[in-house]
Amino acid sequence: MAVGVIAVGVPLAMLGAWLGWQSAPALPTEAQARQVTSEVLPGAQIAEVIRNPKLFYYEHEGTPDSDPLVRTLIGEDDYLAGSTEVKLAAPLPPSTETEERLHAAGWEVLNSDPDRLVGSKDGLLLYVLPPSDVASRPTPTVEIVRDEPVLAPALSITGLLLGGTLGTLMTRWVHRQAQVATPTVRRLVKDGTVVSSVLLVPATLGVLITPVETYLFASGNVLYPVWDLYTFWGVRGATHLGWVIQSVILAVTLLNFLRSGAVNGRKDRPTAEATAA
């Protein structure tokens, strides 16, 4: 069963989560972000508004150091959620004042501490962030990102259960066919299953651990999808190679099954002489 979950359940869980995330709302436009900022921080001096409307993206997409083919096949670092960022040119007021204005504007306050103030409304998360030592945030920032849609975990769990069931049935069938196949096919199935399962372990752990880490230990942080770890250097390449090996095992087993069926069919068919007799 474990092999079935790894081989089929995990990919369908990632696909289900991706489909669920498509129902997330659009990010606010630059004008809307300015309006929200003026409601939450009246009189705030806005230096710049940066909007990336993509659902999720690689930070270095489009740069000379980022090869689309390598990124697609092997992966890349810095996988980020789309956001609308409002860079401020003045210090933030006390967090208690901002929290009151969030409530007044209809935002539910999820987290309030010196490092961030987080509000939720209409499928969006709003972060009021002080300056940071990180190069990307030298000034106070109001950042708006998409909250995780209800469909994302629902479809992810559904994909994991259906895929796990389908994968278990498939691996059992492959195992049965391997028992009556040639030694070469049996060796391919045995060794290929072990190697591909090892290659798929990182992505599997990511799919299983990310929701737990997000909901239990990362309250107030940006919600990343279950396929997040799959996007990174090496993990994506290993995952693709594991899927290729699993596909080869299935294809060889199916061809061997069809060929043996054809041979047995010819053996069972009566000859012309026997028919005449």
Side-chain angles (χ1 to χ4, degrees):
M1 180 176 179
V3 175
V5 171
I6 291 173
V8 184
V10 168
L12 289 188
M14 289 193 290
L15 176 61
W18 182 86
L19 291 174
W21 270 99
Q22 305 311 304
S23 65
L27 292 171
T29 63
E30 179 176 338
Q32 291 170 334
R34 288 178 178 273
Q35 180 180 354
V36 170
T37 302
S38 66
E39 292 176 352
V40 176
L41 302 169
Q45 300 178 23
I46 298 176
E48 182 184 16
V49 178
I50 303 173
R51 184 174 185 268
N52 193 319
K54 294 182 179 181
L55 191 60
F56 294 96
Y57 69 102
Y58 286 99
E59 183 179 16
H60 304 292
E61 283 183 19
T63 63
D65 296 334
S66 179
D67 188 317
L69 181 60
V70 173
R71 185 171 64 244
T72 300
L73 296 179
I74 300 176
E76 193 175 281
D77 293 336
D78 299 321
Y79 190 67
L80 307 174
S83 65
T84 300
E85 293 186 4
V86 181
K87 305 289 186 179
L88 305 178
L92 295 172
S95 60
T96 53
E97 296 180 12
T98 307
E99 187 173 344
E100 291 176 358
R101 295 192 182 102
L102 276 173
H103 281 299
W107 293 85
E108 177 189 358
V109 177
L110 301 180
N111 188 71
S112 179
D113 58 48
D115 294 329
R116 65 170 63 84
L117 182 62
V118 186
S120 172
K121 180 182 178 182
D122 298 332
L124 297 173
L125 295 175
L126 180 147
Y127 296 81
V128 181
L129 305 167
S132 171
D133 294 335
V134 179
S136 61
R137 204 178 79 222
T139 62
T141 302
V142 174
E143 182 179 13
I144 302 174
V145 300
R146 299 173 179 88
D147 198 356
E148 183 180 52
V150 175
L151 280 178
L155 293 181
S156 181
I157 293 172
T158 301
L160 183 64
L161 294 176
L162 292 179
T165 302
L166 177 62
T168 299
L169 296 175
M170 183 187 73
T171 52
R172 287 179 178 176
W173 179 82
V174 169
H175 178 74
R176 288 197 303 268
Q177 296 304 316
Q179 300 306 307
V180 296
T182 63
T184 301
V185 173
R186 286 200 300 272
R187 185 65 180 270
L188 171 66
V189 171
K190 180 181 178 181
D191 295 347
T193 299
V194 172
V195 173
S196 61
S197 296
V198 171
L199 291 170
L200 295 172
V201 163
T204 301
L205 292 177
V207 168
L208 298 179
I209 292 175
T210 298
V212 176
E213 181 184 13
T214 298
Y215 296 121
L216 295 184
F217 305 108
S219 177
N221 289 336
V222 176
L223 297 176
Y224 284 95
V226 297
W227 68 83
D228 184 45
L229 182 61
Y230 156 76
T231 64
F232 285 86
W233 281 107
V235 176
R236 172 170 277 183
T239 302
H240 288 174
L241 182 57
W243 287 343
V244 168
I245 295 174
Q246 290 279 357
S247 299
V248 170
I249 290 173
L250 183 60
V252 170
T253 304
L254 181 60
L255 289 174
N256 186 74
F257 170 75
L258 295 175
R259 185 172 58 184
S260 63
V263 171
N264 291 334
R266 286 196 297 270
K267 287 180 179 179
D268 294 340
R269 189 179 305 150
T271 62
E273 293 81 0
T275 303

